[in-house]
Every structure is written in structure tokens, then in C-alpha cells.
Amino acid sequence: MTITTRPRTIGELRDSGYKVLPIKEEMRKNLIQKIRDGEELFPGIIGYEDTVIPQIENAILSGQDIIFLGERGQAKTRIARSLVNLLDEYIPIIAGSEINDDPFEPISKSGRDKIEEFGDRTEIEWIPRERRYGEKLATPDITISDLVGEVDPVRVAEGRYLSDELTIHYGMIPRTNRGIFCINELPDLAERIQVGLLNIMEERDVQIRGYKIRLPLDVYVVASANPEDYTNRGRIITPLKDRVGSEIRTHYPHTIDHEITIMEAESSHFLSDGLDVAVPQFMKEVIAEITHLARRSNDISQRSGVSVRVTVSNYENVLSNASRRALRLKERQVVPRVSDLEAIMASTCGKIELDAVGDIKEERVVQKLINGAILSVFGEYFEQREFEQLVAGFERGLNVQVGDDMPSMEYVNQLSKVGGLSKAIDKLHGRGNPALIASTIEFILEGLHLNRRLNKDEVGGKTRYRR
């Protein structure tokens, strides 16, 4: 049905044989079709294929409302917004309806009055699926009028009675009638607001200023919450908890590969005229491993979690630091080095919560994470016995200097006097350009230092490795 051939009145809609489906039935129908067609249900959602997504499918097929339980940065809101794709592309409503009235069975007085006056000549309009999604972040200061509605004093001044339904200015939930309404951080709602939400979900009535109005809304409710807040006694009323059909637990990426995929997809991409950016796989793994270690660290509060946004921001900062160096040294190739990891201090410290607060402690914890990540990734690529020749060279007095602001060619020049590095560089696919060689050399030397095979001196922004 194209835009030009769509019915424009209720009579034309009835003659076309169009059937209005309840929201849950509509979503179920479209989900079934997508599964049959082999369509990807949640594009861009990584790592939930065998855990979260099957539970969402079950809930929709069962016609159940959903609450997502998970720490911050677990794509809860993104998934809720993606549910819009399970709605029909367009649906008809009575023209001008504030609450998306069904043309055949309007629930608002204004909609019923229109049909009584115009009958089958009542005009309809077609609204896109995007207009059928509403979202609200729960805060303690939210009122019933925000979610449900309030008496409009202007309409009262026009001569209507307070008890007249036409005096109501509808809130967000009625305006999302025949759509999806998402409320984030549900436990932050005051109890009396939770009761109002329960009335809409279960009893299908609305009370405004003491006047009870029967409003059989057709809304698919999605909520999100931090697990500790949701299960904490007193934060959410029991009847509302009981009303939610499916409680789905989200999680952080289980694997480094998933973390890297999300990191690359979500990071900001800017056009860098004159710069060629390349990130070695081992550097991507180090950045992702930092976040994974943070999620297991006893120094960091796990109550609020360590978001994937930490990984994304760290990746962006490391690339920016490498780009800044290339610009100043007038190099074309941009390749992050281990020395660029200092740049993640700013992007990590603001996104983690320590059990013991303090700036010095915070920096020490982040440095510990960096060291642990390098050590872990280094161990995945190498065994220490592979560097006996290299360590022997350092024992004979060899030393190598590196630094955040050192030109890449200086690393290449030092490579000629360091025996035992060539095979390791080849193993990391570190050949190609001077910037890539520089990054590989720093990673190998720092890995050996953290394995206590080399000593390290830091003076004036430069680092010297020796035995």
C-alpha cells in the first residue's frame, strides 16, 4: 500500500479490509516474519546472539512486557529503541488524535466525538513507526503529570468542567498508545509514580486530580534497571515487579573479540587529511583487555559496572595521541604505541568508581590495569624463551630508548643494533612502515620489562630499557 493509495477516511479504511492489531500481536507477527526471512533483529548488537536476544524473542512471542537488568553500558536502551523495527511501517489513526486513536475503536472522548459527528467520513492519518516510541529516564522528581497527564488550565478557562475528559493534557504514556514505551532506571521512580504506572499497565485506568478515567491504553512497556537497585527491597513495589512478564539479564562482552568489534564500530571516525591510520591487532587487544581487567578488579566498584564506553573512549584517546605525535613530527603514518596508553588516564578515571576514592590511588589503579593488559596480551603472543638472544644483548650493555614523541625512524635505526627482535616483529606482522615497527618494538620491550627480563628508567619523558 503506497502513500497515494492509502485510505484517507474511516469508511475507505473499512472498505479496504484493514485490520487493526493490538501492539503485542503486531510485534509478534512481524517478529515471526523476520525470523522466517532470516533477518538480523538487532543490527549492531554484538555478543547477545546466544544469551539476550533469544530471551527477547521468547518474551515478544509470549506477549510479555520486558525489563532489562544490567549495569551501565550494556546496550539496554539501544535494544529498546531497536524494538521499533518490529512495528508496522505505518498505522492509521484518527487525524489529529493526541493518543493515536484506533479509527475503529477510539479511546479518547475527542476521537469518539469526531466519529459521532462525521461517521465514515472521519479523516485518518498514517503515522510512521518512529512516532510510536516513547522514552523517559526515571528520576525522583518525575510526576504523574509527566507520565499520565494533567488538567490543562487553559481548557478549563474555556468553559469546560474539571471532570470533562477534554480538559486533560495527556502525558507521555497515553501519547505512546499503540506503541512502545521505555522507562529507564525504573527503581528511581517514586513509589506513588510506580503505582500510577501499575494502574496503566494492569487496571487500564487513569486518575487525574481525583477524577477516574477509563483509558484502555494499548502499550508495550519496556523498562531497564541496575540489578542491585531492582532487587533491593523497597526500591520497587512488588505488584509492579509481578506485572513485568520477562526479566532479561544483560551482560558485558564475554570475549575480547566482541569488545574489539564494538570498540571499532562505536568509536568516532574523522577524516584525517594526509594521515594513514593503522592500529595493530595487539594494541586493540591491549585496550580491550584493560576494560576486561577493570571488570574483575577488586579496586574498582563493580556495582555500577565498567561500561563498553570505557573501551571506546580509551581507543579514541590512544588514536588521538598517536595522531597528535604524527602531526608534530610531520609523519604520515599514525600507529598507536604502548607509550600512547598514558592518554587513557583521562578517559578511564571519569568512568570508573573506586572503592577507595583518591586521585593518586585512581592513577595507580589505571596504571596497574595497563600493565596487566600488556602482560596478558604479550603472553598470548610470545614465550619468554623466544627472547634469550635479545636479553643476552642487553646483558652485554645494550640499551634502547623509546618515547611518546620519538620519530618512528629512530626506532628503525635502533633495530639494526638489537639482535633477536626481527623474528618477534615478524610474528606480530610489524613490518611495513616505520611507525608500525616503532609500535611493535615498544610492545615487545614493555612486555619483557613486565616479565622482569628488562629494567626500565623513565627520565624527562623518555624511557630507557636496559638489563
Side-chain angles (χ1 to χ4, degrees):
M1 193 183 294
T2 64
I3 295 176
T4 54
T5 61
R6 287 188 189 126
R8 297 184 179 180
T9 65
I10 288 180
E12 291 178 10
L13 186 67
R14 185 177 286 110
D15 292 341
S16 72
Y18 183 90
K19 291 183 179 179
V20 175
L21 294 177
I23 180 68
K24 291 180 179 179
E25 201 171 318
E26 176 189 339
M27 293 176 68
R28 188 178 189 276
K29 174 201 70 173
N30 290 328
L31 172 63
I32 289 171
Q33 190 60 51
K34 284 179 180 290
I35 292 174
R36 282 177 175 160
D37 293 343
E39 276 190 52
E40 186 179 2
L41 297 178
F42 300 99
I45 302 297
I46 310 296
Y48 283 175
E49 295 82 1
D50 301 321
T51 53
V52 175
I53 291 177
Q55 295 181 63
I56 296 173
E57 292 172 348
N58 289 342
I60 294 170
L61 291 173
S62 301
Q64 297 175 349
D65 297 316
I66 292 174
I67 182 163
F68 292 113
L69 296 186
E71 289 79 15
R72 59 187 175 186
Q74 292 183 355
K76 299 185 295 295
T77 303
R78 174 176 287 194
I79 293 173
R81 291 171 181 170
S82 298
L83 291 174
V84 170
N85 295 321
L86 296 177
L87 302 177
D88 289 344
E89 190 174 359
Y90 287 89
I91 63 164
I93 65 169
I94 293 177
S97 172
E98 292 183 271
I99 58 173
N100 302 335
D101 269 310
D102 175 355
F104 299 141
E105 295 183 15
I107 60 174
S108 72
K109 191 173 188 307
S110 62
R112 295 193 298 271
D113 289 348
K114 274 189 179 180
I115 290 181
E116 188 176 337
E117 182 178 355
F118 299 105
D120 280 357
R121 293 180 293 108
T122 304
E123 292 186 352
I124 63 173
E125 62 178 299
W126 295 78
I127 61 170
R129 56 167 69 115
E130 291 77 18
R131 276 181 55 186
R132 299 167 63 197
Y133 178 81
E135 183 180 300
K136 185 71 174 174
L137 174 64
T139 55
D141 60 345
I142 284 181
T143 63
I144 283 288
S145 60
D146 293 326
L147 295 182
V148 179
E150 179 61 287
V151 172
D152 188 339
V154 175
R155 296 179 185 179
V156 174
E158 290 173 349
R160 294 190 174 98
Y161 292 104
L162 281 173
S163 58
D164 189 342
E165 188 182 327
L166 293 174
T167 63
I168 297 174
H169 176 79
Y170 291 108
M172 288 191 69
I173 297 178
R175 289 176 184 274
T176 318
N177 182 40
R178 299 174 67 201
I180 300 168
F181 182 74
C182 174
I183 185 153
N184 292 314
E185 306 305 332
L186 178 62
D188 288 342
L189 278 184
E191 284 190 9
R192 61 187 180 85
I193 312 300
Q194 292 182 31
V195 171
L197 184 60
L198 176 66
N199 281 340
I200 287 179
M201 292 175 67
E202 187 68 39
E203 307 300 333
R204 302 299 184 187
D205 65 41
V206 177
Q207 292 187 28
I208 298 177
R209 296 286 176 127
Y211 296 100
K212 187 173 180 178
I213 300 169
R214 187 73 179 169
L215 204 62
L217 296 172
D218 185 20
V219 179
Y220 187 80
V221 178
V222 181
S224 72
N226 183 292
E228 284 204 21
D229 292 338
Y230 188 71
T231 55
N232 189 13
R233 201 170 182 181
R235 292 299 299 274
I236 187 167
I237 61 172
T238 304
L240 183 57
K241 229 176 179 183
D242 185 57
R243 175 63 181 78
V244 178
S246 285
E247 181 181 296
I248 298 175
R249 188 68 164 85
T250 59
H251 56 80
Y252 290 120
H254 287 156
T255 68
I256 293 295
D257 287 342
H258 284 159
E259 192 90 32
I260 291 172
T261 303
I262 297 169
M263 175 182 82
E264 293 179 314
E266 298 299 316
S267 59
S268 301
H269 299 281
F270 299 105
L271 293 175
S272 300
D273 189 32
L275 295 177
D276 295 330
V277 180
V279 185
Q281 180 64 21
F282 62 82
M283 283 301 297
K284 294 177 185 177
E285 291 171 7
V286 167
I287 294 168
E289 181 67 17
I290 288 169
T291 308
H292 276 239
L293 291 177
R295 291 177 188 141
R296 302 193 296 268
S297 172
N298 294 326
D299 297 317
I300 295 172
S301 171
Q302 302 301 322
R303 182 172 177 266
S304 56
V306 180
S307 169
V308 177
R309 297 185 191 97
V310 173
T311 315
V312 175
S313 297
N314 288 348
Y315 185 61
E316 292 170 340
N317 268 14
V318 168
L319 279 179
S320 296
N321 204 64
S323 300
R324 185 167 56 88
R325 174 180 58 251
L327 290 168
R328 286 182 172 165
L329 297 177
K330 295 181 171 49
E331 295 183 346
R332 184 179 180 82
Q333 286 81 26
V334 175
V335 182
R337 307 172 185 169
V338 165
S339 53
D340 291 318
L341 292 172
E342 287 293 323
I344 77 167
M345 289 291 178
S347 50
T348 303
C349 291
K351 292 182 178 64
I352 60 174
E353 296 177 15
L354 303 186
D355 284 334
V357 179
D359 290 340
I360 298 176
K361 168 85 171 173
E362 202 167 58
E363 292 175 359
R364 192 183 309 134
V365 168
V366 176
Q367 188 59 55
K368 182 179 174 183
L369 294 174
I370 293 172
N371 293 345
I374 295 170
L375 197 58
S376 175
V377 175
F378 184 84
E380 291 292 324
Y381 282 94
F382 301 111
E383 294 181 15
Q384 293 188 44
R385 59 183 174 81
E386 297 179 54
F387 296 99
E388 295 302 332
Q389 181 186 350
L390 176 61
V391 173
F394 278 93
E395 287 176 342
R396 291 193 296 268
L398 175 69
N399 66 79
V400 176
Q401 184 170 291
V402 303
D404 172 53
D405 57 353
M406 271 182 60
S408 299
M409 279 307 299
E410 289 194 24
Y411 288 82
V412 177
N413 295 334
Q414 291 187 91
L415 179 61
S416 60
K417 66 176 184 178
V418 182
L421 258 182
S422 295
K423 283 186 179 179
I425 290 175
D426 291 337
K427 194 171 185 178
L428 293 172
H429 307 290
R431 302 284 182 181
N433 64 64
L436 191 55
I437 291 172
S439 176
T440 308
I441 289 174
E442 278 200 15
F443 175 65
I444 293 170
L445 294 177
E446 184 65 14
L448 289 171
H449 164 66
L450 293 173
N451 278 290
R452 302 186 179 183
R453 300 300 303 276
L454 297 178
N455 291 316
K456 182 171 78 169
D457 301 320
E458 295 183 10
V459 180
K462 295 281 194 284
T463 299
R464 185 168 65 94
Y465 292 95
R466 60 177 178 79
R467 185 73 173 107

